[in-house]
Amino acid sequence: MLDANVYVSAYVRPEGPPGQIVERFLRDAAFELVLSANIVEEVLQALAYPKVLKSARTKVEPDLWFEDIVMLAEFVTDQPIEAVSTDPDDDKYIAAGIEGRASFVVSGDPDLLDLKEHAGVRIVSPRGFLDLL
């Protein structure tokens, strides 16, 4: 399971670790990906930011780029959980990870990375996840 900043980083800079992770998912099905409606909404909002569009190294429309990922992902419902992260907005990733039985949440967000693990779901950086693949 990837958080919104990983998707945005992959879109903006496909050659970096987040981009390599998305490529491994799309090309090799190297892992299963979990998404929820709330996560999709957050990613689409972030991909539409003018700053993101301006700095992207790809000319593919962000909605079309993300659509391929969405089509191949496993969807879970948006089950609320007790506050876990210091940023309540990040709890949706932990909740989706638990519901989707994900082994990892991949994030560059310090609030999530500080948790390291919750309910059997490990939180790792994109570089750390890439090393595990």
Side-chain angles (χ1 to χ4, degrees):
M1 127 137 270
L2 311 177
D3 81 356
N5 71 52
V6 174
Y7 290 112
V8 170
S9 295
Y11 178 73
V12 169
R13 202 172 143 254
E15 69 278 5
Q20 292 174 44
I21 290 168
V22 169
E23 179 66 22
R24 295 281 304 271
F25 171 70
L26 292 171
R27 187 188 65 221
D28 304 332
F31 57 94
E32 291 181 13
L33 192 60
V34 176
L35 283 172
S36 72
N38 284 341
I39 293 169
V40 168
E41 182 180 329
E42 180 178 8
V43 172
L44 288 173
Q45 285 176 352
L47 287 171
Y49 292 149
K51 180 179 176 181
V52 170
L53 296 171
K54 185 176 180 179
S55 59
R57 295 186 182 178
T58 179
K59 298 303 171 212
V60 177
E61 288 294 318
D63 300 19
L64 295 175
W65 175 83
F66 191 55
E67 184 177 311
D68 288 343
I69 296 165
V70 170
M71 296 300 290
L72 296 170
E74 174 190 334
F75 268 80
V76 296
T77 58
D78 288 302
Q79 295 293 321
I81 62 171
E82 286 184 34
V84 176
S85 173
T86 54
D87 180 355
D89 197 42
D90 292 337
D91 289 341
K92 67 178 158 281
Y93 296 104
I94 303 296
I98 293 167
E99 187 179 349
R101 296 190 174 106
S103 299
F104 300 95
V105 169
V106 181
S107 176
D109 185 324
D111 292 325
L112 280 171
L113 289 169
D114 285 347
L115 289 174
K116 296 186 181 20
E117 185 271 337
H118 181 77
V121 179
R122 288 179 50 199
I123 298 116
V124 297
S125 69
R127 169 57 62 203
F129 186 67
L130 203 51
D131 291 345
L132 292 167
L133 286 179

